Amino acid sequence: MIKKFLTCMVIGLGLSLPANADDHAIGGDNVSTEMEWSHRKGMRLGWVYLNKGEQHEKLRSPHMFTMGYEIQSVMDGGSWLDLLFIQNVLVSGLDQSVLLPSASSLVGFEINDTIQLAVGGNVTVVDPAGEGNFMHLVVASGATFDAGIFSVPVHFIYIPDINGYYRLAATTGVNW
Protein backbone atom coordinates (compact mmCIF):
# COMPACT_ATOMS: atom_id res chain seq x y z
CA MET A 1 0.00 0.00 0.00
CA ILE A 2 2.79 2.42 0.92
CA LYS A 3 4.69 1.58 -2.29
CA LYS A 4 1.59 2.39 -4.36
CA PHE A 5 1.08 5.65 -2.49
CA LEU A 6 4.72 6.72 -2.91
CA THR A 7 4.65 5.77 -6.61
CA CYS A 8 1.54 7.90 -7.15
CA MET A 9 3.17 10.80 -5.27
CA VAL A 10 6.35 10.63 -7.40
CA ILE A 11 4.37 10.45 -10.64
CA GLY A 12 2.13 13.31 -9.52
CA LEU A 13 5.09 15.50 -8.62
CA GLY A 14 6.80 14.64 -11.90
CA LEU A 15 3.76 15.68 -13.92
CA SER A 16 3.04 18.85 -11.99
CA LEU A 17 3.84 22.18 -13.58
CA PRO A 18 5.22 25.21 -11.76
CA ALA A 19 2.72 27.99 -11.08
CA ASN A 20 3.43 31.57 -12.08
CA ALA A 21 1.82 34.23 -9.90
CA ASP A 22 0.63 37.70 -10.82
CA ASP A 23 1.83 40.75 -8.90
CA HIS A 24 -1.33 40.71 -6.78
CA ALA A 25 -0.19 37.43 -5.17
CA ILE A 26 2.70 39.22 -3.46
CA GLY A 27 0.80 42.35 -2.53
CA GLY A 28 1.13 44.38 -5.72
CA ASP A 29 3.54 47.23 -6.43
CA ASN A 30 3.05 49.08 -3.14
CA VAL A 31 4.68 46.38 -0.98
CA SER A 32 8.42 45.80 -0.78
CA THR A 33 9.48 42.36 -1.98
CA GLU A 34 12.22 42.40 0.68
CA MET A 35 10.86 40.02 3.33
CA GLU A 36 12.52 39.73 6.72
CA TRP A 37 11.76 37.69 9.80
CA SER A 38 11.29 39.31 13.20
CA HIS A 39 11.65 37.18 16.31
CA ARG A 40 9.93 37.11 19.68
CA LYS A 41 11.05 34.72 22.35
CA GLY A 42 10.20 34.14 25.94
CA MET A 43 9.11 31.99 28.84
CA ARG A 44 5.78 30.17 29.01
CA LEU A 45 3.72 29.15 32.05
CA GLY A 46 0.40 27.37 31.99
CA TRP A 47 -1.90 24.43 32.52
CA VAL A 48 -2.23 21.11 30.72
CA TYR A 49 -5.08 18.60 30.92
CA LEU A 50 -4.33 15.02 29.84
CA ASN A 51 -7.55 13.14 29.08
CA LYS A 52 -7.57 9.82 30.94
CA GLY A 53 -4.46 11.05 32.78
CA GLU A 54 -5.75 9.66 36.06
CA GLN A 55 -5.26 6.16 34.57
CA HIS A 56 -1.51 6.74 34.20
CA GLU A 57 0.40 5.13 37.08
CA LYS A 58 2.69 8.14 37.66
CA LEU A 59 0.02 10.87 37.68
CA ARG A 60 -2.24 11.70 40.60
CA SER A 61 -4.32 14.13 38.53
CA PRO A 62 -4.89 14.76 34.82
CA HIS A 63 -4.31 18.50 35.48
CA MET A 64 -0.66 19.59 35.36
CA PHE A 65 1.42 22.75 35.58
CA THR A 66 3.56 23.40 32.50
CA MET A 67 6.50 25.70 31.83
CA GLY A 68 8.93 26.23 29.02
CA TYR A 69 10.43 28.44 26.33
CA GLU A 70 9.05 29.55 22.96
CA ILE A 71 10.37 31.29 19.85
CA GLN A 72 7.97 33.02 17.46
CA SER A 73 9.25 34.08 14.06
CA VAL A 74 7.02 36.48 12.13
CA MET A 75 7.27 37.63 8.51
CA ASP A 76 5.35 40.89 8.15
CA GLY A 77 2.94 40.71 5.23
CA GLY A 78 2.69 44.49 4.94
CA SER A 79 -1.02 44.56 5.71
CA TRP A 80 -3.32 42.60 8.02
CA LEU A 81 -1.81 39.12 7.49
CA ASP A 82 1.62 37.89 8.64
CA LEU A 83 3.33 34.50 8.35
CA LEU A 84 4.06 32.80 11.68
CA PHE A 85 6.52 30.04 12.62
CA ILE A 86 6.57 28.82 16.25
CA GLN A 87 8.88 26.44 18.09
CA ASN A 88 8.57 25.60 21.77
CA VAL A 89 9.76 23.22 24.44
CA LEU A 90 7.52 22.61 27.45
CA VAL A 91 7.88 20.51 30.59
CA SER A 92 4.70 19.38 32.34
CA GLY A 93 3.99 17.42 35.51
CA LEU A 94 6.56 18.98 37.83
CA ASP A 95 3.76 19.73 40.30
CA GLN A 96 3.31 15.94 40.59
CA SER A 97 7.07 15.17 40.68
CA VAL A 98 6.89 13.83 37.11
CA LEU A 99 8.94 15.04 34.15
CA LEU A 100 6.85 15.09 30.92
CA PRO A 101 8.75 17.07 28.24
CA SER A 102 7.36 17.88 24.81
CA ALA A 103 8.42 19.98 21.84
CA SER A 104 6.30 21.53 19.09
CA SER A 105 6.91 23.19 15.75
CA LEU A 106 4.01 25.05 14.12
CA VAL A 107 3.29 27.18 11.07
CA GLY A 108 0.41 29.58 10.78
CA PHE A 109 -0.83 33.13 10.47
CA GLU A 110 -0.99 36.26 12.57
CA ILE A 111 -3.94 38.56 11.89
CA ASN A 112 -3.68 42.31 12.61
CA ASP A 113 -0.50 41.77 14.66
CA THR A 114 -2.55 40.10 17.42
CA ILE A 115 -4.66 36.99 16.62
CA GLN A 116 -2.65 33.83 15.92
CA LEU A 117 -3.69 30.52 14.34
CA ALA A 118 -1.20 27.69 13.82
CA VAL A 119 -0.90 23.94 13.20
CA GLY A 120 2.07 21.61 13.33
CA GLY A 121 3.71 18.65 15.00
CA ASN A 122 4.34 17.74 18.62
CA VAL A 123 6.76 15.16 19.95
CA THR A 124 6.94 13.80 23.49
CA VAL A 125 8.97 11.10 25.22
CA VAL A 126 5.96 9.54 26.99
CA ASP A 127 3.01 7.67 25.45
CA PRO A 128 0.39 7.01 28.14
CA ALA A 129 -1.14 4.21 26.04
CA GLY A 130 2.23 2.43 25.83
CA GLU A 131 1.91 1.94 22.06
CA GLY A 132 4.84 4.10 20.95
CA ASN A 133 2.78 7.06 19.70
CA PHE A 134 5.27 9.82 20.44
CA MET A 135 4.35 12.21 17.58
CA HIS A 136 1.06 14.08 17.34
CA LEU A 137 -0.71 16.88 15.54
CA VAL A 138 -0.92 20.15 17.46
CA VAL A 139 -3.44 22.93 16.81
CA ALA A 140 -3.10 26.31 18.53
CA SER A 141 -4.89 29.63 18.61
CA GLY A 142 -4.49 32.72 20.68
CA ALA A 143 -3.42 36.30 20.76
CA THR A 144 -0.32 38.31 21.57
CA PHE A 145 -0.81 41.68 23.24
CA ASP A 146 1.64 44.58 23.13
CA ALA A 147 3.12 45.53 26.52
CA GLY A 148 5.73 48.20 25.76
CA ILE A 149 9.06 46.56 25.00
CA PHE A 150 7.47 43.21 25.85
CA SER A 151 4.45 41.32 24.54
CA VAL A 152 2.12 38.94 26.37
CA PRO A 153 0.91 35.83 24.50
CA VAL A 154 -2.20 33.90 25.53
CA HIS A 155 -2.53 30.58 23.70
CA PHE A 156 -4.92 27.63 23.70
CA ILE A 157 -3.60 24.29 22.45
CA TYR A 158 -5.21 21.00 21.42
CA ILE A 159 -3.15 17.85 20.80
CA PRO A 160 -5.28 14.88 19.63
CA ASP A 161 -4.35 11.24 20.28
CA ILE A 162 -5.64 8.11 18.54
CA ASN A 163 -6.03 6.34 21.89
CA GLY A 164 -8.04 9.12 23.53
CA TYR A 165 -5.16 10.61 25.53
CA TYR A 166 -5.67 14.06 24.00
CA ARG A 167 -4.15 17.12 25.66
CA LEU A 168 -5.64 20.57 26.19
CA ALA A 169 -3.45 23.43 27.32
CA ALA A 170 -3.56 27.12 28.06
CA THR A 171 -0.32 29.09 28.32
CA THR A 172 0.81 32.64 28.80
CA GLY A 173 4.15 34.33 29.39
CA VAL A 174 6.30 37.24 28.34
CA ASN A 175 8.07 37.80 25.02
CA TRP A 176 11.01 40.09 24.43
mmCIF file of all heavy atoms in Angstrom, residues 87-123:
data_model
loop_
_atom_site.group_PDB
_atom_site.id
_atom_site.type_symbol
_atom_site.label_atom_id
_atom_site.label_comp_id
_atom_site.label_asym_id
_atom_site.label_seq_id
_atom_site.Cartn_x
_atom_site.Cartn_y
_atom_site.Cartn_z
ATOM 1 N N GLN A 87 8.232 27.615 17.521
ATOM 2 C CA GLN A 87 8.876 26.438 18.090
ATOM 3 C C GLN A 87 8.849 26.599 19.607
ATOM 4 O O GLN A 87 9.117 27.695 20.114
ATOM 5 C CB GLN A 87 10.335 26.289 17.666
ATOM 6 C CG GLN A 87 10.611 26.406 16.198
ATOM 7 C CD GLN A 87 10.953 27.812 15.792
ATOM 8 O OE1 GLN A 87 11.658 28.514 16.479
ATOM 9 N NE2 GLN A 87 10.440 28.236 14.671
ATOM 10 N N ASN A 88 8.522 25.514 20.310
ATOM 11 C CA ASN A 88 8.570 25.595 21.766
ATOM 12 C C ASN A 88 8.953 24.267 22.383
ATOM 13 O O ASN A 88 8.826 23.213 21.772
ATOM 14 C CB ASN A 88 7.253 26.122 22.356
ATOM 15 C CG ASN A 88 6.098 25.181 22.183
ATOM 16 O OD1 ASN A 88 6.240 23.975 22.271
ATOM 17 N ND2 ASN A 88 4.926 25.735 21.935
ATOM 18 N N VAL A 89 9.444 24.370 23.608
ATOM 19 C CA VAL A 89 9.764 23.220 24.439
ATOM 20 C C VAL A 89 9.065 23.451 25.764
ATOM 21 O O VAL A 89 9.253 24.507 26.384
ATOM 22 C CB VAL A 89 11.289 23.071 24.638
ATOM 23 C CG1 VAL A 89 11.592 21.930 25.585
ATOM 24 C CG2 VAL A 89 11.997 22.870 23.317
ATOM 25 N N LEU A 90 8.259 22.487 26.194
ATOM 26 C CA LEU A 90 7.523 22.607 27.450
ATOM 27 C C LEU A 90 7.785 21.383 28.312
ATOM 28 O O LEU A 90 7.978 20.279 27.805
ATOM 29 C CB LEU A 90 6.016 22.723 27.196
ATOM 30 C CG LEU A 90 5.549 23.952 26.415
ATOM 31 C CD1 LEU A 90 4.072 23.822 26.071
ATOM 32 C CD2 LEU A 90 5.790 25.211 27.221
ATOM 33 N N VAL A 91 7.766 21.592 29.626
ATOM 34 C CA VAL A 91 7.884 20.505 30.590
ATOM 35 C C VAL A 91 6.650 20.560 31.476
ATOM 36 O O VAL A 91 6.375 21.585 32.092
ATOM 37 C CB VAL A 91 9.172 20.636 31.439
ATOM 38 C CG1 VAL A 91 9.218 19.550 32.488
ATOM 39 C CG2 VAL A 91 10.398 20.587 30.558
ATOM 40 N N SER A 92 5.918 19.462 31.529
ATOM 41 C CA SER A 92 4.700 19.382 32.336
ATOM 42 C C SER A 92 4.893 18.363 33.445
ATOM 43 O O SER A 92 5.776 17.509 33.382
ATOM 44 C CB SER A 92 3.510 18.964 31.468
ATOM 45 O OG SER A 92 3.319 19.869 30.427
ATOM 46 N N GLY A 93 4.017 18.428 34.449
ATOM 47 C CA GLY A 93 3.991 17.421 35.509
ATOM 48 C C GLY A 93 4.889 17.656 36.696
ATOM 49 O O GLY A 93 4.903 16.845 37.623
ATOM 50 N N LEU A 94 5.662 18.747 36.703
ATOM 51 C CA LEU A 94 6.563 18.977 37.826
ATOM 52 C C LEU A 94 5.810 19.130 39.147
ATOM 53 O O LEU A 94 6.338 18.798 40.207
ATOM 54 C CB LEU A 94 7.431 20.214 37.575
ATOM 55 C CG LEU A 94 8.455 20.074 36.443
ATOM 56 C CD1 LEU A 94 9.179 21.389 36.224
ATOM 57 C CD2 LEU A 94 9.434 18.962 36.733
ATOM 58 N N ASP A 95 4.566 19.603 39.091
ATOM 59 C CA ASP A 95 3.756 19.732 40.299
ATOM 60 C C ASP A 95 3.395 18.373 40.893
ATOM 61 O O ASP A 95 2.986 18.290 42.051
ATOM 62 C CB ASP A 95 2.491 20.539 40.015
ATOM 63 C CG ASP A 95 1.665 19.950 38.886
ATOM 64 O OD1 ASP A 95 2.261 19.469 37.903
ATOM 65 O OD2 ASP A 95 0.429 19.991 38.990
ATOM 66 N N GLN A 96 3.572 17.292 40.113
ATOM 67 C CA GLN A 96 3.311 15.938 40.586
ATOM 68 C C GLN A 96 4.600 15.110 40.649
ATOM 69 O O GLN A 96 4.559 13.883 40.669
ATOM 70 C CB GLN A 96 2.293 15.263 39.670
ATOM 71 C CG GLN A 96 0.965 15.988 39.643
ATOM 72 C CD GLN A 96 -0.036 15.304 38.755
ATOM 73 O OE1 GLN A 96 -0.182 14.071 38.781
ATOM 74 N NE2 GLN A 96 -0.760 16.087 37.961
ATOM 75 N N SER A 97 5.749 15.803 40.643
ATOM 76 C CA SER A 97 7.072 15.167 40.683
ATOM 77 C C SER A 97 7.286 14.213 39.510
ATOM 78 O O SER A 97 7.893 13.155 39.641
ATOM 79 C CB SER A 97 7.286 14.433 42.005
ATOM 80 O OG SER A 97 7.235 15.343 43.074
ATOM 81 N N VAL A 98 6.752 14.609 38.338
ATOM 82 C CA VAL A 98 6.890 13.833 37.109
ATOM 83 C C VAL A 98 7.451 14.767 36.042
ATOM 84 O O VAL A 98 7.065 15.930 35.965
ATOM 85 C CB VAL A 98 5.525 13.272 36.658
ATOM 86 C CG1 VAL A 98 5.656 12.522 35.349
ATOM 87 C CG2 VAL A 98 4.941 12.366 37.724
ATOM 88 N N LEU A 99 8.353 14.261 35.228
ATOM 89 C CA LEU A 99 8.937 15.044 34.145
ATOM 90 C C LEU A 99 8.341 14.569 32.816
ATOM 91 O O LEU A 99 8.615 13.454 32.375
ATOM 92 C CB LEU A 99 10.457 14.876 34.139
ATOM 93 C CG LEU A 99 11.231 15.701 33.129
ATOM 94 C CD1 LEU A 99 11.115 17.185 33.474
ATOM 95 C CD2 LEU A 99 12.682 15.275 33.110
ATOM 96 N N LEU A 100 7.501 15.419 32.192
ATOM 97 C CA LEU A 100 6.852 15.092 30.922
ATOM 98 C C LEU A 100 7.201 16.170 29.891
ATOM 99 O O LEU A 100 6.438 17.107 29.680
ATOM 100 C CB LEU A 100 5.340 14.999 31.105
ATOM 101 C CG LEU A 100 4.847 13.946 32.094
ATOM 102 C CD1 LEU A 100 3.362 14.093 32.347
ATOM 103 C CD2 LEU A 100 5.183 12.549 31.590
ATOM 104 N N PRO A 101 8.355 16.057 29.227
ATOM 105 C CA PRO A 101 8.746 17.071 28.244
ATOM 106 C C PRO A 101 8.057 16.855 26.898
ATOM 107 O O PRO A 101 7.705 15.737 26.536
ATOM 108 C CB PRO A 101 10.252 16.864 28.121
ATOM 109 C CG PRO A 101 10.446 15.413 28.418
ATOM 110 C CD PRO A 101 9.387 15.045 29.427
ATOM 111 N N SER A 102 7.866 17.955 26.173
ATOM 112 C CA SER A 102 7.364 17.876 24.807
ATOM 113 C C SER A 102 7.897 19.065 24.026
ATOM 114 O O SER A 102 8.250 20.095 24.601
ATOM 115 C CB SER A 102 5.834 17.839 24.761
ATOM 116 O OG SER A 102 5.300 19.077 25.144
ATOM 117 N N ALA A 103 7.959 18.909 22.716
ATOM 118 C CA ALA A 103 8.419 19.982 21.835
ATOM 119 C C ALA A 103 7.459 20.078 20.657
ATOM 120 O O ALA A 103 6.942 19.060 20.185
ATOM 121 C CB ALA A 103 9.837 19.709 21.340
ATOM 122 N N SER A 104 7.214 21.301 20.212
ATOM 123 C CA SER A 104 6.301 21.529 19.094
ATOM 124 C C SER A 104 6.929 22.468 18.079
ATOM 125 O O SER A 104 7.730 23.335 18.440
ATOM 126 C CB SER A 104 4.985 22.146 19.576
ATOM 127 O OG SER A 104 4.324 21.291 20.462
ATOM 128 N N SER A 105 6.528 22.296 16.830
ATOM 129 C CA SER A 105 6.910 23.192 15.753
ATOM 130 C C SER A 105 5.654 23.433 14.934
ATOM 131 O O SER A 105 5.028 22.479 14.462
ATOM 132 C CB SER A 105 8.012 22.563 14.903
ATOM 133 O OG SER A 105 8.402 23.431 13.877
ATOM 134 N N LEU A 106 5.257 24.712 14.774
ATOM 135 C CA LEU A 106 4.006 25.052 14.124
ATOM 136 C C LEU A 106 4.214 26.122 13.059
ATOM 137 O O LEU A 106 5.121 26.950 13.174
ATOM 138 C CB LEU A 106 2.993 25.580 15.141
ATOM 139 C CG LEU A 106 2.596 24.677 16.293
ATOM 140 C CD1 LEU A 106 3.432 24.958 17.510
ATOM 141 C CD2 LEU A 106 1.145 24.885 16.621
ATOM 142 N N VAL A 107 3.349 26.124 12.067
ATOM 143 C CA VAL A 107 3.286 27.185 11.068
ATOM 144 C C VAL A 107 1.869 27.731 11.077
ATOM 145 O O VAL A 107 0.912 27.006 11.363
ATOM 146 C CB VAL A 107 3.666 26.703 9.650
ATOM 147 C CG1 VAL A 107 5.104 26.265 9.590
ATOM 148 C CG2 VAL A 107 2.746 25.587 9.197
ATOM 149 N N GLY A 108 1.736 29.006 10.781
ATOM 150 C CA GLY A 108 0.405 29.583 10.783
ATOM 151 C C GLY A 108 0.409 31.030 10.367
ATOM 152 O O GLY A 108 1.297 31.490 9.636
ATOM 153 N N PHE A 109 -0.592 31.756 10.871
ATOM 154 C CA PHE A 109 -0.830 33.131 10.475
ATOM 155 C C PHE A 109 -1.049 34.009 11.697
ATOM 156 O O PHE A 109 -1.548 33.548 12.714
ATOM 157 C CB PHE A 109 -2.073 33.214 9.585
ATOM 158 C CG PHE A 109 -2.025 32.271 8.433
ATOM 159 C CD1 PHE A 109 -2.653 31.043 8.489
ATOM 160 C CD2 PHE A 109 -1.328 32.606 7.287
ATOM 161 C CE1 PHE A 109 -2.601 30.159 7.428
ATOM 162 C CE2 PHE A 109 -1.267 31.732 6.216
ATOM 163 C CZ PHE A 109 -1.907 30.511 6.286
ATOM 164 N N GLU A 110 -0.688 35.262 11.558
ATOM 165 C CA GLU A 110 -0.991 36.265 12.570
ATOM 166 C C GLU A 110 -1.840 37.332 11.889
ATOM 167 O O GLU A 110 -1.467 37.859 10.847
ATOM 168 C CB GLU A 110 0.293 36.871 13.129
ATOM 169 C CG GLU A 110 0.052 37.824 14.269
ATOM 170 C CD GLU A 110 1.343 38.278 14.913
ATOM 171 O OE1 GLU A 110 2.172 38.901 14.209
ATOM 172 O OE2 GLU A 110 1.527 38.005 16.103
ATOM 173 N N ILE A 111 -2.991 37.619 12.470
ATOM 174 C CA ILE A 111 -3.944 38.560 11.886
ATOM 175 C C ILE A 111 -3.922 39.851 12.690
ATOM 176 O O ILE A 111 -4.088 39.826 13.913
ATOM 177 C CB ILE A 111 -5.357 37.944 11.876
ATOM 178 C CG1 ILE A 111 -5.339 36.635 11.065
ATOM 179 C CG2 ILE A 111 -6.378 38.927 11.329
ATOM 180 C CD1 ILE A 111 -6.576 35.794 11.227
ATOM 181 N N ASN A 112 -3.718 40.978 11.993
ATOM 182 C CA ASN A 112 -3.680 42.309 12.610
ATOM 183 C C ASN A 112 -2.701 42.401 13.772
ATOM 184 O O ASN A 112 -2.987 43.029 14.794
ATOM 185 C CB ASN A 112 -5.079 42.736 13.060
ATOM 186 C CG ASN A 112 -5.974 43.067 11.898
ATOM 187 O OD1 ASN A 112 -5.506 43.495 10.846
ATOM 188 N ND2 ASN A 112 -7.259 42.850 12.064
ATOM 189 N N ASP A 113 -1.565 41.750 13.656
ATOM 190 C CA ASP A 113 -0.497 41.773 14.662
ATOM 191 C C ASP A 113 -0.948 41.302 16.041
ATOM 192 O O ASP A 113 -0.309 41.615 17.048
ATOM 193 C CB ASP A 113 0.118 43.176 14.777
ATOM 194 C CG ASP A 113 0.807 43.617 13.502
ATOM 195 O OD1 ASP A 113 1.351 42.747 12.797
ATOM 196 O OD2 ASP A 113 0.806 44.821 13.210
ATOM 197 N N THR A 114 -2.046 40.536 16.122
ATOM 198 C CA THR A 114 -2.554 40.101 17.420
ATOM 199 C C THR A 114 -3.026 38.650 17.409
ATOM 200 O O THR A 114 -2.490 37.822 18.131
ATOM 201 C CB THR A 114 -3.719 41.009 17.880
ATOM 202 O OG1 THR A 114 -3.261 42.355 17.910
ATOM 203 C CG2 THR A 114 -4.206 40.616 19.263
ATOM 204 N N ILE A 115 -4.042 38.323 16.621
ATOM 205 C CA ILE A 115 -4.661 36.994 16.617
ATOM 206 C C ILE A 115 -3.749 36.008 15.889
ATOM 207 O O ILE A 115 -3.259 36.297 14.799
ATOM 208 C CB ILE A 115 -6.040 37.028 15.915
ATOM 209 C CG1 ILE A 115 -6.954 38.064 16.571
ATOM 210 C CG2 ILE A 115 -6.680 35.649 15.911
ATOM 211 C CD1 ILE A 115 -7.262 37.798 18.008
ATOM 212 N N GLN A 116 -3.541 34.834 16.494
ATOM 213 C CA GLN A 116 -2.647 33.833 15.923
ATOM 214 C C GLN A 116 -3.351 32.489 15.785
ATOM 215 O O GLN A 116 -4.042 32.046 16.696
ATOM 216 C CB GLN A 116 -1.407 33.673 16.803
ATOM 217 C CG GLN A 116 -0.611 34.945 16.914
ATOM 218 C CD GLN A 116 0.515 34.847 17.916
ATOM 219 O OE1 GLN A 116 0.444 34.096 18.879
ATOM 220 N NE2 GLN A 116 1.568 35.619 17.689
ATOM 221 N N LEU A 117 -3.164 31.846 14.630
ATOM 222 C CA LEU A 117 -3.691 30.517 14.341
ATOM 223 C C LEU A 117 -2.549 29.693 13.759
ATOM 224 O O LEU A 117 -1.874 30.145 12.831
ATOM 225 C CB LEU A 117 -4.836 30.591 13.336
ATOM 226 C CG LEU A 117 -5.992 31.511 13.709
ATOM 227 C CD1 LEU A 117 -6.908 31.729 12.507
ATOM 228 C CD2 LEU A 117 -6.769 30.928 14.869
ATOM 229 N N ALA A 118 -2.325 28.486 14.300
ATOM 230 C CA ALA A 118 -1.197 27.687 13.821
ATOM 231 C C ALA A 118 -1.494 26.193 13.962
ATOM 232 O O ALA A 118 -2.314 25.775 14.787
ATOM 233 C CB ALA A 118 0.073 28.038 14.593
ATOM 234 N N VAL A 119 -0.792 25.393 13.174
ATOM 235 C CA VAL A 119 -0.901 23.943 13.203
ATOM 236 C C VAL A 119 0.492 23.370 12.959
ATOM 237 O O VAL A 119 1.318 23.986 12.283
ATOM 238 C CB VAL A 119 -1.917 23.438 12.157
ATOM 239 C CG1 VAL A 119 -1.461 23.756 10.753
ATOM 240 C CG2 VAL A 119 -2.206 21.964 12.333
ATOM 241 N N GLY A 120 0.758 22.201 13.524
ATOM 242 C CA GLY A 120 2.074 21.609 13.329
ATOM 243 C C GLY A 120 2.203 20.257 13.989
ATOM 244 O O GLY A 120 1.217 19.530 14.159
ATOM 245 N N GLY A 121 3.418 19.940 14.386
ATOM 246 C CA GLY A 121 3.711 18.649 15.000
ATOM 247 C C GLY A 121 4.203 18.805 16.416
ATOM 248 O O GLY A 121 4.809 19.806 16.778
ATOM 249 N N ASN A 122 3.912 17.784 17.221
ATOM 250 C CA ASN A 122 4.344 17.740 18.616
ATOM 251 C C ASN A 122 5.000 16.396 18.856
ATOM 252 O O ASN A 122 4.521 15.369 18.368
ATOM 253 C CB ASN A 122 3.133 17.924 19.551
ATOM 254 C CG ASN A 122 3.492 17.707 21.007
ATOM 255 O OD1 ASN A 122 3.428 16.591 21.499
ATOM 256 N ND2 ASN A 122 3.861 18.768 21.669
ATOM 257 N N VAL A 123 6.085 16.401 19.594
ATOM 258 C CA VAL A 123 6.759 15.158 19.948
ATOM 259 C C VAL A 123 6.955 15.146 21.463
ATOM 260 O O VAL A 123 7.215 16.185 22.080
ATOM 261 C CB VAL A 123 8.102 15.006 19.197
ATOM 262 C CG1 VAL A 123 9.086 16.083 19.575
ATOM 263 C CG2 VAL A 123 8.700 13.634 19.415
#
